Amino acid sequence: MPDTTTVQTLTAAGALKALSAAHERSLTLGVPVNISVCDAAGHEIAFLRPDGAALLSMGIARDKAYTVAAFNGLPTADWFGLIADEPALLNGIVHRDRLVIFGGGVPIRVDGVLVGAVGCSGGSAEEDAEIAQAGADAVAC
């Protein structure tokens, strides 16, 4: 077995493309959201806090993108359904730093490989997810 591997990940250009597409969708919806784009390892590459976006939502957007990357591409909207029937897990895992279990964090996949994630915060969970997905779709193949 090899001792190393080559990991495909999002570039700065890809992150800016996702950020721009997500911002454009937020403008179309009239919902100012903070937008974070990270690489496959969860390191932020690009961030935008547009006019009118809530300050507290900055960290939430970042944590949504990080959560997706940290759990191999699981969208944040999927979390609650997975743990809702497990009270010990539901009450324990939500106390972990940076974990977000509501919509707005989505993976960016290219040829089925996780290369990054988009996290949005400032609207409803559904709006955040729609805006984040627009960003991911701008890069995904």
Side-chain angles (χ1 to χ4, degrees):
M1 290 192 77
D3 291 334
T4 63
T5 184
T6 302
V7 177
Q8 187 176 1
T9 193
L10 193 63
T11 63
L16 290 173
K17 189 175 185 181
L19 182 77
S20 179
H23 184 232
E24 194 62 39
R25 179 63 58 90
S26 76
L27 292 173
T28 300
L29 295 176
V31 180
V33 299
N34 291 285
I35 305 163
S36 176
V37 183
C38 70
D39 64 17
H43 302 291
E44 187 174 71
I45 302 173
F47 182 83
L48 176 67
R49 186 182 67 81
D51 297 340
L55 291 174
L56 184 60
S57 293
M58 291 172 61
I60 298 169
R62 287 179 161 123
D63 290 347
K64 286 179 181 182
Y66 176 81
T67 295
V68 172
F71 284 93
N72 301 316
L74 181 67
T76 57
D78 292 357
W79 266 96
F80 188 78
L82 293 174
I83 63 175
D85 295 329
E86 297 189 46
L89 185 56
L90 178 61
N91 289 302
I93 201 164
V94 296
H95 298 289
R96 298 298 308 159
D97 268 352
R98 304 200 67 189
L99 177 69
V100 178
I101 65 165
F102 47 89
V106 301
I108 301 172
R109 294 188 189 278
V110 174
D111 297 327
V113 175
L114 178 69
V115 297
V118 181
C120 295
S121 183
S124 68
E126 292 79 17
E127 290 167 333
D128 290 351
E130 179 180 341
I131 294 165
Q133 191 63 56
D137 289 346
V139 178
C141 298

